[in-house]
Amino acid sequence: MRIIKEETIVQEVKRLCQEANYILPHDVQRALMKAYEDEDGDIAKETLNILKENALLAKSTLSPICQDTGMTCIFVEIGQEVYIEGSLSEAIQEGVRQGYEEGYLRKSVVDDPLFDRINTRDNTPAIIHYEITKGDQLKIIVAPKGFGSENMSQVKMLKPSEGVQGVKDFVLKVVHDAGPNACPPMVIGVGIGGSFDKVTLLAKKAMLREIGTHHFDERYKALEKELLEMINQTGIGPAGYGGKTTALSLAIETYPTHIAGLPVAVSICCHVARHKEVIL
Amino acid sequence: MIKHITTPLTKEKVLYLKAGDQVLLSGIIYTGRDAAHKKMIQMIEEGKTLPFDVDNQIIYYVGPTPPKPNAIFGSGGPTTSGRMDAYAPKLLSLGLRGMIGKGYRQESVKEAIQKYFGVYFGAIGGAGAYIGRCVQECEVIAFDDLGPEAIRKLKVKDFPLTVIVDAYGNDLYEIGRKRYLKEHSYDK
Ligand code: SF4
């Protein structure tokens, strides 16, 4: 049994909220660099140049990469042998509150979604997903999500008979619908299988996967590559101004599903694909 | 070629801009997004005077981060313009000349841009820190209670923009894609 104090979690979540918003993950930075080198059109190249410069500037001045510092999505993997002194959920929410306030991050959450829509003024509540794992470690991933791209994500319950072609058509449709609204180049996560709720979570997790890594099953790996190539042939390009780089990456996560179903979810993220994690 | 444009944005200046042009904008612009637009349209309906005269002016769709101590402005890239589509034609009819944002616009907005000689500029989505640097002065002039959504008067210098929809009805989101596909012969 390992004991972790509430205060440790507050401090770590606070730090992760700020770092995630100031410092673009290495893999995303690298992908932007590479895209910049590969682009040939003037406007596309200049756009990627500004995005590159923007990320460097944000990092060196510890400023938010993007003004939409997102709704804070948090993935927690908690070992069965961990004991938290106090409340884990409250500690996480407190970390978000302090992180956003003290880090000069934008507060973008409203309390009632339909009627009142009043800003909570501290960016809480965060959305927290818990997973129980073996062992005595606690892993926290903080992934602030902007809604320009979140609004462009979609889920569809396909018929099993629609198969691979159905998946391809749907992914391409989502990318076309998203276009310039999602601040391309995009980072795309695709979930296949599970149920209505599970598939969207798979897509979210896929979006967090390191760029350049692939699904362990060769068939899905090939599909990831093929879809990315098709997306980059749409011509949408950086900022939607036309060009080669519509997406930096596409990752697929899968799960067993029901005999009657083929759920597919496409989680769209912009190039500001933020996430930072800690293992305690 | 990069075109240097200074506000106020007159009809003559707008007619000189074409979809795909890269622009460095300097001068005064105003910020406004969802809540501010809703309030302004309400004021118009009630016959009240708007917080600023929109004639020959530009509205930038943005909700910036709070500035750090001693800073003028935080990070401030564009937000998705489509959410302002319901309000834009009315403002254009009152003389609003330019809008800065990102993303698709509805036909009704494009038609109003043509009819009233306006222009829709794209700022690069996600370049918040970079764009924030172009702001030299910032003053909240209305709806302070809306926080990031308040109307701010900004003085900008060399704000990098691209013309998306021009007064002649061209849309870079369509042209840019087609041009790319043609050059790479994917348009079979
Ligand atoms: S979609 Fe991403 S890059 Fe664009 S404004 Fe939102 S958070 Fe920023």
Side-chain angles (χ1 to χ4, degrees):
Chain A
M1 180 74 69
R2 233 182 105 222
I3 298 175
I4 300 178
K5 290 209 170 71
E6 208 182 41
E7 187 51 27
T8 310
I9 295 163
V10 173
Q11 292 308 321
E12 286 299 318
V13 169
K14 171 178 159 181
R15 178 178 66 84
L16 293 175
C17 285
Q18 296 176 354
E19 284 180 8
N21 272 300
Y22 302 156
I23 305 165
L24 203 60
H26 283 302
D27 56 333
V28 184
Q29 272 188 53
R30 231 178 294 127
L32 272 179
M33 290 282 190
K34 185 167 181 308
Y36 170 73
E37 276 154 27
D38 293 349
E39 272 291 349
D40 36 29
D42 285 351
I43 303 183
K45 215 173 169 76
E46 179 53 21
T47 302
L48 289 170
N49 184 37
I50 289 181
L51 293 182
K52 222 162 51 102
E53 293 291 314
N54 182 66
L56 291 176
L57 182 64
K59 188 174 170 183
S60 65
T61 58
L62 296 181
S63 318
I65 306 160
C66 179
Q67 77 291 336
D68 186 352
T69 50
M71 186 155 194
T72 324
C73 297
I74 298 188
F75 297 87
V76 179
E77 290 170 24
I78 181 164
Q80 294 175 97
E81 292 157 43
V82 175
Y83 174 77
I84 310 282
E85 247 176 27
S87 160
L88 177 56
S89 298
E90 277 169 29
I92 291 173
Q93 301 292 4
E94 184 56 29
V96 169
R97 192 172 288 126
Q98 293 184 13
Y100 274 68
E101 191 49 48
E102 293 170 29
Y104 299 93
L105 304 177
R106 200 182 78 184
K107 289 67 170 185
S108 315
V109 176
V110 294
D111 53 3
D112 177 79
L114 183 57
F115 296 109
D116 305 330
R117 294 192 69 86
I118 294 169
N119 199 305
T120 62
R121 295 196 169 259
D122 60 8
N123 222 53
T124 66
I127 292 171
I128 312 174
H129 296 283
Y130 292 102
E131 205 178 305
I132 310 280
T133 54
K134 277 192 206 155
D136 64 354
Q137 290 188 327
L138 174 67
K139 182 173 173 184
I140 304 175
I141 305 173
V142 172
K145 186 67 174 67
F147 261 52
S149 51
E150 187 73 349
N151 281 338
M152 296 292 117
S153 300
Q154 296 185 37
V155 59
K156 194 168 185 199
M157 307 304 279
L158 296 181
K159 293 185 193 76
S161 62
E162 290 177 90
V164 179
Q165 192 57 43
V167 172
K168 285 185 194 170
D169 290 347
F170 180 56
V171 172
L172 261 294
K173 176 201 175 306
V174 176
V175 170
H176 271 287
D177 288 353
N181 293 30
C183 296
M186 311 172 201
V187 169
I188 301 170
V190 178
I192 305 177
S195 52
F196 181 72
D197 51 331
K198 178 75 180 176
V199 76
T200 50
L201 195 55
L202 288 173
K204 274 267 148 105
K205 288 239 168 114
M207 208 182 66
L208 297 176
R209 211 167 74 199
E210 189 178 336
I211 295 178
T213 61
H214 288 284
H215 196 286
F216 59 86
D217 183 325
E218 286 297 328
R219 294 166 302 173
Y220 286 105
K221 178 178 173 179
L223 185 58
E224 286 174 343
K225 289 187 169 174
E226 189 186 348
L227 280 170
L228 182 61
E229 206 177 306
M230 289 166 82
I231 289 165
N232 284 333
Q233 286 177 357
T234 59
I236 294 169
Y241 301 161
K244 228 187 237 188
T245 324
T246 300
L248 296 173
S249 77
L250 182 141
I252 298 175
E253 289 287 324
T254 54
Y255 197 80
T257 190
H258 189 276
I259 45 174
L262 176 56
V264 183
V266 184
S267 175
I268 300 279
C269 189
C270 47
H271 56 88
V272 189
R274 295 160 282 200
H275 50 90
K276 270 267 173 311
E277 63 179 64
V278 70
I279 296 175
L280 295 174
Chain B
M1 188 187 70
I2 291 180
K3 293 180 176 173
H4 290 261
I5 298 285
T6 314
T7 61
L9 193 63
T10 56
K11 181 176 162 187
E12 289 67 43
K13 288 179 194 170
V14 158
L15 291 175
Y16 163 68
L17 297 172
K18 299 268 167 60
D21 282 354
Q22 291 188 278
V23 170
L24 288 175
L25 180 77
S26 299
I28 300 295
I29 60 174
Y30 296 88
T31 73
R33 46 174 291 160
D34 310 51
H37 273 79
K38 197 172 168 195
K39 287 204 175 195
M40 284 203 291
I41 295 298
Q42 249 167 20
M43 291 173 92
I44 293 168
E45 280 165 2
E46 289 163 5
K48 293 185 182 151
T49 318
L50 291 177
F52 66 99
D53 183 359
V54 296
D55 195 37
N56 283 343
Q57 299 304 323
I58 298 176
I59 295 186
Y60 177 24
Y61 303 144
V62 61
T65 59
K68 288 188 179 174
N70 304 322
I72 297 162
F73 199 69
S75 291
T79 192
T80 309
S81 310
R83 294 193 316 273
M84 269 57 77
D85 280 358
Y87 314 114
K90 182 78 205 169
L91 293 172
L92 286 162
S93 77
L94 294 175
L96 179 74
R97 202 57 80 186
M99 296 159 286
I100 304 172
K102 59 143 171 147
Y104 298 126
R105 302 309 301 257
Q106 274 173 15
E107 273 318 308
S108 58
V109 177
K110 294 195 214 172
E111 279 163 18
I113 287 173
Q114 248 185 303
K115 184 167 172 197
Y116 302 112
F117 302 102
V119 62
Y120 171 44
F121 295 105
I124 297 172
Y130 188 96
I131 294 170
R133 282 279 172 113
C134 303
V135 177
Q136 294 183 317
E137 287 169 28
C138 169
E139 180 197 350
V140 173
I141 60 160
F143 315 142
D144 201 5
D145 55 312
L146 294 180
E149 298 208 51
I151 296 187
R152 291 168 169 81
K153 183 179 177 182
L154 305 182
K155 187 174 168 220
V156 296
K157 176 127 180 43
D158 294 338
F159 183 175
L161 301 172
T162 303
V163 177
I164 308 286
V165 182
D166 62 26
Y168 305 94
N170 303 303
D171 183 342
L172 177 65
Y173 290 143
E174 288 161 19
I175 303 169
R177 201 174 300 186
K178 276 193 198 130
R179 190 187 299 139
Y180 177 84
L181 295 179
K182 200 164 174 199
E183 280 166 11
H184 295 76
S185 60
Y186 293 134
D187 62 339
K188 287 159 203 149

